[in-house]
Amino acid sequence: MPRQPRLDLACIPQHVVQRGNDRQPCFFTDVDRVRYLQDLREISMREGCNVHAYVLMTNHVHLLMTPAASGQIARVMQSLGRRYVRYINDRYRRTGTLWEGRYKSSLVDRETYLLHCYRYIELNPVRARMTADPLDYAWSSHAHNAFGHDDPLIHPHPVYLALGRTDEERYNAYRTLAMENLSQNHLDAIREHLQRQHALGSDRFRSAIEAQLSRRAGPAKIGRPRKVPQGE
């Protein structure tokens, strides 16, 4: 049975995760992380995708992006994945795959879940007990979104911009949000919908997606999601 295409619509944010093959590392030094982010910036700009949040973990990557047109995120991930694998194989004189199959993605309802996904992504190192303070983790967008540190990769989403009238108001508001732990229900919902590649949001949001794509975008109702592995 052929696999269904991903849910993909212009101007709808997507939460994307790509894992290392067999959960093995995909970054070995900080030089690798710098190279990945440089390539991501170049390719996302070329394709017309805005990156709002990211985190580079040892063996996987989370991205929050909005495409200007359908198909752009797929092209970003394909180009980025191939270029980065060539770089890693050349640098470390290795062969074979680096990534675990296709990336996974979930459309995100900007009205109900977008800022939850910002926080889910940037607080990943805290949940993984790699740091107690997300600001101390250098390989995420938290320093930019919460403190205004320069990060040319990031394009703020209008929902983020609505947190305040000035940059300082937005940083303060976002820091306050980041200090609040996501509920277990929110964590489970984000993980479950990403794993199943369903649209994450209200019933109204999913119905609108289904009407545009003429296919199911998720379960008819959101119950309590089944448990999935934590720390990602």
Side-chain angles (χ1 to χ4, degrees):
M1 180 178 178
R3 61 191 177 194
Q4 282 194 318
R6 294 184 180 87
L7 301 175
D8 183 19
L9 285 169
C11 303
I12 303 296
Q14 293 188 34
H15 179 186
V16 173
V17 64
Q18 183 141 45
R19 307 184 194 282
N21 188 44
D22 200 27
R23 304 295 177 100
Q24 294 301 304
C26 43
F27 302 103
F28 304 96
T29 69
D30 287 351
V31 173
D32 302 336
R33 296 176 177 88
V34 169
R35 174 60 181 263
Y36 183 92
L37 293 176
Q38 289 174 339
D39 288 348
L40 173 59
R41 180 171 183 255
E42 176 190 331
I43 295 169
S44 62
M45 289 179 63
R46 183 186 74 204
E47 294 295 341
C49 287
N50 287 338
V51 179
H52 311 304
Y54 67 85
V55 67
L56 309 186
M57 303 296 283
T58 303
N59 63 2
H60 65 285
V61 176
H62 285 274
L63 306 170
L64 185 62
M65 298 188 284
T66 299
S70 62
Q72 288 177 336
I73 287 180
R75 290 194 294 273
V76 167
M77 297 307 294
Q78 183 180 65
S79 296
L80 177 62
R82 288 176 176 173
R83 183 186 293 188
Y84 185 70
V85 169
R86 286 196 300 269
Y87 158 78
I88 288 292
N89 286 351
D90 289 345
R91 179 176 173 84
Y92 297 103
R93 298 184 179 182
R94 65 185 296 279
T95 60
T97 187
L98 180 70
W99 304 114
E100 185 179 78
R102 304 170 81 213
Y103 71 89
K104 292 184 181 294
S105 61
S106 174
L107 296 180
V108 178
D109 185 348
R110 56 184 285 168
E111 295 181 2
T112 59
Y113 265 95
L114 187 73
L115 290 176
H116 291 321
C117 285
Y118 265 80
R119 294 156 59 202
Y120 178 90
I121 289 168
E122 294 177 355
L123 295 179
N124 208 312
V126 176
R127 291 193 302 275
R129 299 183 180 179
M130 299 172 73
T131 181
D133 185 341
L135 183 61
D136 293 335
Y137 191 77
W139 306 106
S140 87
S141 51
H142 181 79
H144 175 83
N145 288 325
F147 292 91
H149 294 189
D150 183 54
D151 191 334
L153 175 59
I154 295 300
H155 290 77
H157 191 278
V159 169
Y160 171 87
L161 292 175
L163 289 173
R165 292 171 296 178
T166 67
D167 287 345
E168 283 305 318
E169 285 184 1
R170 286 188 283 271
Y171 302 148
N172 288 334
Y174 187 74
R175 283 199 299 272
T176 299
L177 282 176
M179 291 174 63
E180 300 173 4
N181 291 328
L182 287 168
S183 71
Q184 192 61 49
N185 282 347
H186 284 139
L187 290 171
D188 289 345
I190 292 170
R191 290 168 179 150
E192 176 75 7
H193 286 71
L194 185 58
Q195 178 66 25
R196 293 180 177 270
Q197 303 196 84
H198 287 165
L200 174 65
S202 66
D203 289 343
R204 179 181 176 183
F205 173 71
R206 287 195 305 279
S207 295
I209 298 300
E210 290 172 350
Q212 292 183 71
L213 295 177
S214 299
R215 53 175 287 202
R216 285 189 61 181
K221 287 187 177 181
I222 295 182
R224 183 173 179 83
R226 68 177 178 83
K227 295 289 186 180
V228 294
Q230 298 189 14
E232 298 181 358

